[in-house]
Amino acid sequence: MRRFLSAAALAADIRAGRRKAAEVVEERLADIARRNALSNAFTEVTAARARAEAAAVDAKLAAGQDPGPMAGVPVAVKNLFDLAGLTTLAGAKIERDSPPAAADAFLVQRLRQAGAVMLGALNMDEYAYGFTTENEHYGPCRNPHGRERMAGGSSGGSAVAVADGLVPVTLGSDTNGSIRVPASLCGIWGLKPTYGRLSRRGSFLFAASFDHLGPFARDVADLALAYNALQGDDPQDRAQQWRGVEPVSAVAEIAGLRIAVADDHFARNGHAEAFAAVEAVARALGVTRRVTIPDAALGRAAAFLITMAEGANLHLPNLRRRAGDFDRATRDRFLAGALLPAHWVQQAQRLRAAYQAKALRLFNEVDVILAPATPYVAPRIGQDMIEVDGQSIPVRPNLGVYTQPISCIGLPVIAAPIAEPARIGTPEGLPIGVQLIAAPWKEASLFRLAAHLEKLGVCAAPEPKA
């Protein structure tokens, strides 16, 4: 059985002097050198930086100083986060010509202030536009539960690095599902906080009105540790809606939480294992109530159009000058976005606003809604089509069928992995997850429920096969 690092336990050992941060870094660097070729999770390993940061943690402890709650914890980030001295690739060939980042992204700074040690940058879909991390420039990211399987995306490298045990905590981004989809397919925990909760300064955006940043981990305690470290006021990020630090914990306490299962859109459009996962969680909680998130399918359609338009607008200069240097799948979707009629996009924004108002009213009646995270387990790398409800549909866009309606209105979500996927009948025992969805700014409710599900044994990160 593989030994997985716990960030919380590791930080406690280092702070207590039972381990040295430098020793942990050398172990991680050796493991990444040995096993990254299996997954293609890392696109850059920052060995010199990691050694220097680990030495600084050990020096602080030797001097009787507190290095922070994540003392010596090895971390890595999706390669759209700025790391000082490195070029921020955002999964693209085009960005190789950009100058190195002058400073770390704000969230990277927060991790460092908490004592974490940065090990490098992680693979992703080009410009975060995808759900599979099949990157034409840097190669596909491979799922630890089956190396021929997709990792999900666009934060595929971030999910795989945690699922494979290379590092205990990573950061990703989520526009339409890019944290929750790979978390589900790789069988780990992922958090998409409320839109505007965390600063995005120093990250390469995709669709600014949708983009969220958040952490991945193998257990709820580590997810909470990372999220608490990431919270902080950034006056330079005008999109951040600062409300003060609201610490969360992994205390399993759900008394008073009103929980329901999403039906309608979220009870079709997928394979049996997606719905079996939700029912397994509902059964463990004794939840029988069903609610309809009204107009979810329309909200998803609006998300498609707005994402295409905002992404195309951002990349229009390079689409004109360097179209041949894009990943072909990304380029074609950006070109389509550049050609959208303005009145379509405007109507999509109106629909999005009306849908958001209807969805938010649901939280007068419930606190947390359960829904599938992905419509099926990880497809095979290179698979273009899949059969759902008797129809052959494209694999890539439909991985976000359940995540897009939630992210386009900014709700906080934890993706919770089913502990024993084989018991609910997933093909080949592959992982799948469930979305725990709350009203804006109610992350604490999600953590309470996540910790309870973990305590019950219904949700936990399954051990990879490969």
Side-chain angles (χ1 to χ4, degrees), residues 54-339:
V57 169
D58 289 335
K60 279 189 174 182
L61 285 164
Q65 300 172 9
D66 183 359
M70 295 186 71
V73 172
V75 298
V77 297
K78 189 174 183 176
N79 71 23
L80 54 66
F81 287 85
D82 286 352
L83 295 177
L86 291 185
T87 298
T88 306
L89 295 174
K93 173 183 176 182
I94 289 170
E95 300 308 321
R96 294 174 191 168
D97 299 334
S98 300
D104 287 340
F106 181 82
L107 294 191
V108 174
Q109 294 176 33
R110 294 292 302 170
L111 290 176
R112 282 290 304 117
Q113 289 163 12
V117 174
M118 181 56 61
L119 265 68
L122 300 161
N123 204 353
M124 59 180 285
D125 285 292
E126 184 184 64
Y127 292 125
Y129 204 172
F131 285 127
T132 67
T133 312
E134 295 174 288
N135 190 299
E136 203 170 79
H137 313 301
Y138 303 102
C141 204
R142 298 182 177 275
N143 196 317
H145 294 269
R147 301 295 182 183
E148 78 288 357
R149 300 276 178 172
M150 296 173 184
S154 62
S155 309
S158 300
V160 166
V162 170
D164 224 4
L166 299 177
V167 288
V169 169
T170 60
L171 298 187
S173 68
D174 191 308
T175 304
N176 284 305
S178 291
I179 288 173
R180 292 158 291 156
V181 167
S184 176
L185 299 189
C186 292
I188 60 170
W189 299 87
L191 168 68
K192 182 193 79 64
T194 303
Y195 179 82
R197 168 76 85 174
L198 300 180
S199 171
R200 302 181 304 189
R201 179 162 60 90
S203 63
F204 200 118
L205 297 181
F206 167 25
S209 69
F210 287 2
D211 290 337
H212 306 63
L213 306 177
F216 294 88
R218 285 190 62 86
D219 62 44
V220 179
D222 284 0
L223 198 69
L225 179 68
Y227 175 59
N228 287 336
L230 295 169
Q231 294 185 60
D233 184 16
D234 182 8
Q236 296 183 55
D237 182 359
R238 289 178 294 178
Q240 187 187 28
Q241 302 169 48
W242 181 243
R243 295 192 171 199
V245 174
E246 297 183 10
V248 298
S249 73
V251 175
E253 174 54 67
I254 64 166
L257 280 186
R258 301 167 299 171
I259 306 167
V261 174
D263 59 16
D264 192 49
H265 175 82
F266 298 92
R268 56 177 186 271
N269 307 305
H271 288 180
E273 64 265 21
F275 312 124
V278 175
E279 291 306 316
V281 171
R283 205 164 42 246
L285 296 171
V287 170
T288 57
R289 184 174 183 181
R290 298 300 196 260
V291 294
T292 299
I293 301 177
D295 295 339
L298 292 176
R300 183 183 180 226
F304 267 119
L305 294 179
I306 298 165
T307 299
M308 291 169 66
E310 290 190 11
N313 177 262
L314 180 63
H315 296 287
L316 194 56
N318 281 329
L319 287 168
R320 287 172 169 153
R321 295 195 311 263
R322 303 184 60 175
D325 288 336
F326 281 85
D327 183 307
R328 286 167 292 181
T330 310
R331 178 196 62 210
D332 292 349
R333 282 173 284 154
F334 279 144
L335 287 171
L339 298 173

